[in-house]
Amino acid sequence: MSDCLFCKIIAGEIPSNKVYEDDVCYAFYDIDPQAPVHFLVIPKAHISSVSAVTEENCAAVGHIFRVIAELTQKLHLDSYRVVSNIGEQAGQSVRHLHFHVLSGRDMTWPPG
Ligand code: AMP
Ligand code: ZN
């Protein structure tokens, strides 16, 4: 999608601090970290949010969770939180599916 910030990051049109990349997904550090470790994992295909996950595109989501498991092991993160905000009220500011991976500090529940 030409006017999507994260599609532009995937295309290299906007710089990012890459953590990992393969054919299906891209991971990069959040520009405004909310924890000592905070990166985002996104599908390369444009999917607007969890609400737009379908039978056709859901393999990318499973793949992303496998990548999260592998990356967190590689980074020695044994406790972390995975978050995806859907819609305005939940705080979604970029309409391209992304999973926040946050780690390195105590976290509260319920989230704010
Ligand atoms: P959300 O608010 O859940 O939609 O998450 C979007 C995230 O993208 C926020 O945590 C932002 O800090 C992050 N973000 C926005 N622009 C950039 C960028 N250019 N590079 C890295 N992270 C970004
Ligand atoms: Zn996009």
Side-chain angles (χ1 to χ4, degrees):
M1 245 187 124
S2 57
D3 64 342
C4 170
L5 174 68
F6 285 176
C7 283
K8 287 180 179 163
I9 285 178
I10 291 162
E13 292 164 16
I14 291 174
S16 64
N17 191 359
K18 180 164 92 172
V19 179
Y20 172 84
E21 178 176 17
D22 62 28
D23 288 348
V24 175
C25 70
Y26 187 79
F28 57 107
Y29 285 105
D30 197 291
I31 204 167
D32 181 22
Q34 301 302 311
V37 179
H38 183 181
F39 60 86
L40 305 171
V41 190
I42 66 178
K44 285 194 168 173
H46 181 87
I47 300 171
S48 58
S49 77
V50 168
S51 294
V53 173
T54 63
E55 181 68 30
E56 286 68 40
N57 64 23
C58 68
V61 178
H63 177 86
I64 283 171
F65 274 84
R66 182 165 68 75
V67 165
I68 289 172
E70 289 171 1
L71 281 179
T72 50
Q73 281 164 36
K74 198 178 279 183
L75 295 170
H76 305 291
L77 306 176
D78 54 348
S79 185
Y80 56 91
R81 187 170 286 178
V82 180
V83 176
S84 192
N85 298 317
I86 297 100
E88 214 169 296
Q89 191 173 32
Q92 184 180 9
S93 61
V94 179
R95 295 191 165 276
H96 181 126
L97 177 65
H98 50 282
F99 296 94
H100 297 259
V101 179
L102 301 132
S103 187
R105 65 166 170 82
D106 293 341
M107 295 191 194
T108 57
W109 192 264

